[in-house]
Structures are given as structure tokens and as C-alpha cells.
Amino acid sequence: MLTIISTGDRESDLYRWHSLKEKVRSIEEIISIDGSTEVGLHQLTQRLETISLLTEIAPIVAHHVKLTTELVKLLVNYEQDVFLLTPEGKLPTLNSPHRIINEKLTDSQLKSVISHSFEQLSFVPAREDLIRIYLLLTSEDFMGKERISPNRTLTFIRQVRTLEGTTADEGKKLLTALLGSIEGKFSQWEILDHLFTPSKRKQKEYFAALTEIMSTYEIMSLAKSTLLLVLAIIVGQEQHLDATSIATKIGKHPFYVSSLLRTITSNRIAYEKAFKLCTRLFNLESALKSGRFDDEGFGFDVLLATEA
């Protein structure tokens, strides 16, 4: 049978294909062909045309194939299943038995999949963790629109399955570690918490650990970008804008803005305090680049030791 997966979105196509593979055990051993190249197209045609006791007749998955009337005839007459992913050009009229999967995945569907993956483990993450997960899995499409990435979601779900068999407490710890690994050992939420914590000891320990995996310049750059976002969000708040309106204004995802807003509120970060710290970061960077501070680590220590 011929199955065509063509949702209009490559990531949705791949997600649908992986979901299909999990349900159909018989297609685990499958011949994969890139139909966008002449070599791949020749390989596909040769397999479809060859009838021999010496040739293995196995299911085929072909990507980016441009369908013609002649090729369609070969595809529907093949003795095994054929799956076409993201075919190029307009689909021809198909009179023979076939299946077309053309539903693009939405953010709501992917959120449901993520929630279901946790339900299967009898593990319910906190709302804040779910928001962080959505943000970590969000990417921009070619039009600049932010959405949850089906490919990233697929990878994340596979990682979540490693929590199977753990207790609730163990699951929470492992999820925290998983989120940290996805974030690349840097979290804007954590850096805000530690930039504005009243505990200088806690602050020093956190940034000392961070400097072991990142340079001081990298930390300063990330801190500056985070503080600039915080300033924009606080201004939006003062203008009585909601999270969605602020997100639209600064070009960020509403979940992202809502989450940062909670961090800003919980740490009681005022505009003046954030502005002063941001200014000091810029001044420190300028001092380091001009040679007034030879040791970037020392300069950063001075910054953190100074009251905001």
C-alpha cells in the first residue's frame, strides 16, 4: 500500500513517520531512500522495477520524491508497503488504494503528547516545569513564527521515557537534570535568581560553578541579554500590558514572558535595580576590553560583591 505523508511541514512529516513506525512493527527493517538526488531516484526506480528471487522485497520509505504518473504506477504496484515523506510538487490524482497523512501538528497537540508521556509514568510535573519544557522545545519557523518543534518534542519524549520505573521523588530529580542538560547548563531563570539573591554566599557558589563550564565573557553576555529582557518586561508591566501583549511587543513567546514575569515578581526585581546591574555589566565589559581590568574573573567578582 502507498502511504503519503505530506503535511506541508517537514518536521510534522518526520514526527508522523516516527509515530507510524512505532505502531507498525513490520516496517522496522525498511529501505530508506533520498529521492531528491538523481542517484536516490535511480535507486528507488530500480527497486520498484526489479523482480528477482535474488532481490530482497522490503518496505521502502522515500524522501523528497517528485511524483510523476509513471512513478506512481510503479509505487502502487510494488509488492510491499511504500511510504513517501514530503513529496515534491503537486500530488497527482491517485485512483488506487492509498493513504494520505496531511495534518500538520499544532502546539496544542504537542503539549497533549508531552502531558501524556508524563501520565504514562504516573508523574505530574509542576506547571512551571511544563512552561520551561515548552520554551525549551520552541523554535522559529522560516517565517519567524515561534512554535513548539515536533522534532525536539520527539527527542524529549524519548528522554522522558528513561524516567520509567522511578519513584515520584526520583522522577522529579531526573527531570530537573534533564531540563538542565537541554538548557545547556544555563537557565535565565536561575541566573536571575542568583543575580538578585540576598545571599552573597549562594551567589558566589553558583557563579563559581558556572565559570567552570563557561567563560566570564559568556556569562556576562547571557546576563546582559537576560537583564535587557527583564527591563523590557518591567516597562510593559508599568504600561499595564498583559504577558501576551508584552510578548508580541518584544517578539518572544507568551509562555516565556509569563515565566520570566513570575521570576521577576518572586525576586522583587525593580526596574532601577535591574538597570543599575545591567549598567555595571556594560561598564565591566568596557573595562575588561580597555585593559583597566587584566583579570576578567576578578572584575566579575567585584561586580557580584557590589550591591545592586
Side-chain angles (χ1 to χ4, degrees):
M1 182 176 177
L2 175 61
T3 300
I4 300 174
I5 305 176
S6 182
T7 67
D9 170 60
R10 178 62 176 168
E11 284 203 27
S12 291
D13 288 354
L14 290 169
Y15 187 97
R16 296 291 187 197
W17 165 240
H18 285 287
S19 298
L20 195 60
K21 277 205 300 183
E22 285 194 348
K23 294 175 184 175
V24 186
R25 296 287 181 182
S26 62
I27 60 175
E28 287 180 354
E29 298 296 327
I30 193 165
I31 298 163
S32 184
I33 297 172
D34 179 5
S36 66
T37 67
E38 288 188 17
V39 173
L41 192 57
H42 175 72
Q43 182 188 358
L44 174 63
T45 306
Q46 191 176 43
R47 281 204 163 267
L48 295 173
E49 289 180 330
T50 302
I51 301 175
S52 170
L53 294 174
L54 300 176
T55 304
E56 178 191 9
I57 304 297
I60 296 172
V61 56
H63 302 253
H64 302 293
V65 176
K66 186 173 183 180
L67 294 178
T68 62
T69 305
E70 292 75 15
L71 184 57
V72 169
K73 287 179 182 178
L74 292 173
L75 290 167
V76 298
N77 289 325
Y78 189 63
E79 294 179 29
Q80 281 278 2
D81 288 324
V82 181
F83 304 87
L84 297 184
L85 266 71
T86 325
E88 297 179 359
K90 187 178 179 181
L91 297 181
T93 302
L94 298 167
N95 297 319
S96 56
H98 65 279
R99 172 173 48 175
I100 296 180
I101 300 173
N102 56 14
E103 184 186 359
K104 186 185 295 186
L105 287 159
T106 64
D107 278 11
S108 295
Q109 288 173 316
L110 291 170
K111 287 176 187 176
S112 295
V113 169
I114 293 165
S115 297
H116 181 63
S117 68
F118 285 119
E119 287 169 8
Q120 288 182 311
L121 300 173
S122 300
F123 177 67
V124 181
R127 183 174 182 275
E128 189 72 16
D129 284 333
L130 277 175
I131 290 173
R132 287 175 67 189
I133 290 166
Y134 299 152
L135 293 173
L136 292 167
L137 301 179
T138 295
S139 62
E140 285 190 3
D141 62 19
F142 68 97
M143 294 292 289
K145 183 179 178 182
E146 289 186 328
R147 62 158 190 169
I148 297 177
S149 163
N151 280 351
R152 290 185 185 179
T153 301
L154 192 64
T155 301
F156 180 73
I157 290 170
R158 287 171 176 163
Q159 293 171 317
V160 168
R161 286 176 182 167
T162 63
L163 306 181
E164 191 172 357
T166 61
T167 65
D169 287 341
E170 288 173 339
K172 185 171 178 59
K173 289 178 182 176
L174 288 170
L175 178 62
T176 300
L178 175 59
L179 290 172
S181 68
I182 297 171
E183 288 170 342
K185 298 184 173 56
F186 170 76
S187 161
Q188 288 178 306
W189 296 267
E190 287 182 1
I191 204 165
L192 279 179
D193 281 337
H194 289 88
L195 278 174
F196 292 95
T197 180
S199 171
K200 288 298 177 184
R201 181 188 60 79
K202 182 181 175 183
Q203 184 184 72
K204 185 175 181 179
E205 288 176 354
Y206 173 78
F207 284 103
L210 204 58
T211 54
E212 292 180 5
I213 54 175
M214 299 171 66
S215 74
T216 303
Y217 279 113
E218 286 178 311
I219 297 171
M220 287 192 296
S221 177
L222 290 166
K224 281 189 305 179
S225 62
T226 302
L227 286 169
L228 289 171
L229 273 174
V230 166
L231 291 171
I233 291 171
I234 293 174
V235 168
Q237 261 191 317
E238 291 174 349
Q239 294 173 349
H240 305 293
L241 298 176
D242 59 18
T244 303
S245 300
I246 295 172
T248 302
K249 195 170 183 180
I250 64 177
K252 296 294 179 182
H253 198 287
F255 282 116
Y256 181 64
V257 172
S258 297
S259 185
L260 279 178
L261 263 172
R262 275 188 286 277
T263 303
I264 291 167
T265 303
S266 64
N267 285 283
R268 299 178 182 177
I269 302 174
Y271 183 91
E272 184 181 1
K273 197 172 183 180
F275 182 80
K276 283 182 178 178
L277 183 53
C278 194
T279 301
R280 281 163 41 214
L281 274 167
F282 276 105
N283 289 339
L284 174 58
E285 185 178 49
S286 176
L288 287 169
K289 289 180 177 178
S290 65
R292 280 183 285 161
F293 271 129
D294 294 329
D295 185 346
E296 61 184 64
F298 172 74
F300 194 62
D301 287 342
V302 170
L303 173 81
L304 294 175
T306 309
E307 290 295 330

